[in-house]
């Protein structure tokens, strides 16, 4: 029989021996190059992914500014202006004795239609959960506007028939407007303005993460090329040069694009601040006009309305001056002069002349001068809204293609790094 001699199998290396072997391998030139390859590929992936995510976040914020918060802020402005002007116009029409002014009637109906349209836009932009609360500003506007218009129609009908109760109805409608509808519209405008500012903040800011990652990638690429030059005595490595160029282009592209976005967003922020100031000035003018006419509707018991007018009206001059609206300032001065005349007539018992001065179609009447102030403010608001829209559009254009661009450059950086180092690794086989 043949004896079978068993040989001892070599013992498996211990964990410590494997770690020591890896450390020894890592100290060799091929080991160092392998580590650098892994680091460059990993950094390339991080640069591509995180830069793309950062740019996409800015792009999403710009989309919200252009399609949601910007238009909704304008809609909120329109709601307040249309409602306030509707109440002023309805009161003016009520004061017009005799045949109803077709111009004032059409203006009132147009204001109500504009308010309803703007409310519909704001409601459509909300999630169903946001509308289920039941006591938000949009809920108030949606449900109470029809109540207001109903009271106005009742006041109009009573007034046309000469029933004194019409004055009570008109004051009731104006009270509803001033205590419920306009505060709800103001709350909505404040909420949309806050949303607008938040979206501007999201789109703005220095790209710290993107730039830092790009600099790290460039640093590793430079270290790798210096190491290869010392160990292989070769000056250039095409793959690594391509990767370095891709990294540099990526950093500069993102930096230039984001700085452009920041500039445009800053300009839009200045525009939205001006819009807010102009809106507040227009609200003050509309409120003053409402108080002026309501004082006359109350016929001797409108002291509170007149006191509020006296509180608001003087400040309009400085507001209009700060807004840079000289034509509106001139109209304000003429309005003030006519207002003093109509108050003198009303206090002196000449109610008819006071009403004529307040709502008459005379070129020197209070209505004409108020309309001039409101029109100038409306024009300035339209111009500011256009500037805001243009700045956001330019910001969006600045990041167009950036996401795809940085991803392509990251892939090019990873492939160039791996290819360039692989050419040197093959020499060690």
């Amino acid at each position: 029989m043949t004896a079978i001699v068993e040989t001892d199998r070599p013992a498996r290396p211990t964990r410590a021996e494997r770690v020591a072997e890896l450390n020894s391998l890592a100290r060799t030139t091929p080991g160092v190059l392998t580590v650098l390859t892994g680091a460059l590929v990993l950094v390339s992936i991080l640069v591509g992914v995180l830069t793309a995510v950062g740019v996409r976040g800015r792009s999403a914020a710009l989309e919200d500014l252009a399609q949601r918060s910007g238009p909704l802020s304008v809609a909120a402005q329109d709601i307040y202006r249309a409602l306030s002007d509707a109440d002023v116009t309805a009161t003016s029409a009520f004061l017009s004795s005799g045949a109803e002014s077709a111009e004032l009637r059409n203006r009132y109906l147009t204001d109500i239609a504009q308010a309803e349209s703007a409310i519909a836009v704001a409601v459509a932009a909300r999630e169903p959960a946001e509308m289920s609360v039941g006591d938000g500003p949009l809920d108030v506007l949606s449900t109470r506007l029809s109540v207001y218009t109903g009271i106005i129609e009742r006041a109009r009908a009573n007034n046309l028939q000469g029933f004194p109760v019409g004055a009570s109805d008109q004051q009731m409608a104006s009270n509803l407007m001033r205590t419920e509808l306009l505060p709800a519209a103001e709350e909505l405008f404040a909420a949309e303005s806050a949303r607008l500012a938040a979206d501007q903040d999201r789109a703005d800011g220095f790209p710290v993460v993107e730039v830092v990652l790009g600099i790290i990638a460039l640093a590793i690429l430079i270290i790798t090329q210096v190491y290869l030059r010392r160990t292989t005595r070769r000056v250039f490595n095409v793959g690594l040069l391509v990767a370095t160029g891709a990294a540099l282009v990526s950093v500069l592209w993102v930096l230039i694009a984001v700085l452009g976005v920041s500039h445009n967003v800053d300009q839009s922020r200045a525009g939205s601040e001006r819009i807010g100031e102009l809106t507040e000035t227009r609200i003050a003018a509309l409120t003053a006009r409402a108080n002026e006419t309501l004082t006359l509707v109350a016929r001797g018991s409108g002291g509170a309305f007149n006191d509020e007018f006296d509180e608001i009206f003087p400040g309009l001059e400085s507001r209009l001056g700060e807004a840079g609206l000289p034509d509106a300032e001139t109209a304000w001065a003429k309005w003030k002069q006519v207002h003093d005349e109509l108050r003198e007539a009303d206090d002196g018992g000449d109610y008819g002349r006071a009403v004529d001065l307040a709502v008459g179609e005379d070129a020197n009447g209070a209505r004409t001068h108020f309309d001039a102030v409101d029109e100038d403010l409306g024009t300035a608001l339209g111009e500011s809204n256009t500037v805001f829209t243009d700045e956001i559009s330019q910001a969006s254009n600045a990041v167009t293609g950036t996401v795809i661009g940085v991803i392509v450059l990251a892939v090019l950086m990873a492939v160039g790094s791996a290819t360039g180092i692989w050419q040197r690794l093959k020499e060690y086989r």
Side-chain angles (χ1 to χ4, degrees):
M1 296 179 65
T2 303
I4 299 175
V5 179
E6 295 185 358
T7 59
D8 294 334
R9 295 180 179 179
R12 293 183 177 180
T14 64
R15 182 188 297 272
E17 290 173 337
R18 286 199 297 269
V19 171
E21 184 180 355
L22 289 174
N23 286 334
S24 177
L25 179 61
R27 293 189 183 95
T28 65
T29 298
V32 172
L33 292 176
T34 300
V35 171
L36 289 172
T37 301
L40 284 169
V41 171
L42 178 60
V43 170
S44 299
I45 293 173
L46 288 174
V47 167
V49 172
L50 294 182
T51 301
V53 169
V55 173
R56 184 67 191 93
R58 294 175 190 274
S59 181
L62 291 171
E63 288 177 11
D64 286 341
L65 282 168
Q67 301 175 13
R68 182 179 171 84
S69 56
L72 287 179
S73 178
V74 173
Q77 293 173 38
D78 290 342
I79 291 171
Y80 197 104
R81 186 215 62 80
L83 289 178
S84 189
D85 191 66
D87 195 48
V88 169
T89 305
T91 306
S92 298
F94 182 90
L95 286 171
S96 302
S97 57
E100 183 181 50
S101 169
E103 179 188 352
L104 290 176
R105 177 65 177 170
N106 290 334
R107 179 169 172 171
Y108 165 79
L109 293 175
T110 299
D111 283 335
I112 294 298
Q114 289 176 347
E116 290 174 339
S117 177
I119 291 170
V121 169
V123 169
R126 292 293 189 279
E127 297 295 333
E130 294 182 82
M131 295 301 298
S132 63
V133 178
D135 58 353
L138 277 176
D139 298 288
V140 174
L141 292 167
S142 300
T143 57
R144 301 296 284 170
L145 180 55
S146 59
V147 177
Y148 170 81
T149 55
I151 299 174
I152 285 292
E153 293 306 312
R154 189 173 69 206
R156 173 172 173 264
N158 286 326
N159 188 45
L160 289 175
Q161 296 178 67
F163 297 154
V165 71
S168 176
D169 290 334
Q170 184 64 44
Q171 291 184 62
M172 183 187 302
S174 291
N175 184 63
L176 174 61
M177 176 66 75
R178 294 155 70 91
T179 60
E180 295 188 44
L181 290 172
L182 290 181
E186 189 171 3
E187 182 181 349
L188 179 65
F189 178 68
E192 294 304 337
S193 296
R195 191 193 299 267
L196 181 73
D199 286 339
Q200 287 172 326
D201 290 340
R202 284 170 53 211
D204 200 1
F206 189 80
V208 177
V209 174
E210 296 93 324
V211 171
V212 169
L213 282 174
I215 292 174
I216 291 174
L218 283 170
I220 297 176
L221 281 165
I222 292 172
I223 291 171
T224 301
Q225 290 175 84
V226 171
Y227 179 79
L228 282 176
R229 183 176 180 180
R230 289 178 178 177
T231 55
T232 65
R233 305 300 179 184
R234 297 184 182 183
V235 178
F236 298 111
N237 182 293
V238 176
L240 291 175
L241 284 175
V242 170
T244 303
L248 184 60
V249 170
S250 178
V251 171
L252 291 176
W253 187 347
V254 171
L255 190 59
I256 292 171
V258 173
L259 289 178
V261 168
S262 295
H263 172 74
N264 291 128
V265 170
D266 286 342
Q267 292 297 108
S268 77
R269 187 178 281 113
S272 58
E273 289 175 357
R274 176 167 171 77
I275 288 170
E277 292 169 357
L278 289 171
T279 299
E280 290 178 1
T281 303
R282 198 176 196 184
I283 288 171
L286 287 163
T287 303
R289 176 60 176 165
N291 282 307
E292 182 177 57
T293 53
L294 284 170
T295 302
L296 296 175
V297 170
R299 299 200 70 162
S301 60
F305 297 127
N306 191 54
D307 289 343
E308 188 172 352
F309 177 93
D310 290 339
E311 181 180 345
I312 295 171
F313 195 71
L316 275 176
E317 182 180 21
S318 60
R319 285 175 177 268
L320 294 171
E322 292 169 1
L325 302 175
D327 291 342
E329 280 190 276
T330 301
W332 173 89
K334 294 179 179 178
W335 180 12
K336 181 180 184 302
Q337 182 179 354
V338 176
H339 175 77
D340 292 341
E341 292 178 17
L342 75 85
R343 289 307 321 140
E344 183 179 353
D346 187 31
D347 293 339
D350 194 350
Y351 181 76
R353 173 166 169 72
V355 170
D356 287 340
L357 288 170
V359 301
E361 297 180 4
D362 190 288
N364 291 318
R367 172 182 160 190
T368 300
H369 299 316
F370 160 74
D371 285 344
V373 171
D374 187 64
E375 183 179 352
D376 208 17
L377 284 166
T379 300
L381 272 169
E383 292 172 350
S384 297
N385 280 320
T386 299
V387 170
F388 173 85
T389 302
D390 289 345
E391 292 295 342
I392 296 303
S393 178
Q394 291 178 31
S396 297
N397 292 336
V399 295
T400 299
T402 304
V403 173
I404 295 176
V406 296
I407 291 176
V408 170
L409 289 170
V411 171
L412 188 60
M413 185 165 52
V415 172
S417 300
T419 302
I421 295 177
W422 175 249
Q423 295 298 321
R424 301 287 76 81
L425 281 173
K426 289 192 300 183
E427 299 172 358
Y428 289 88
R429 288 187 173 182

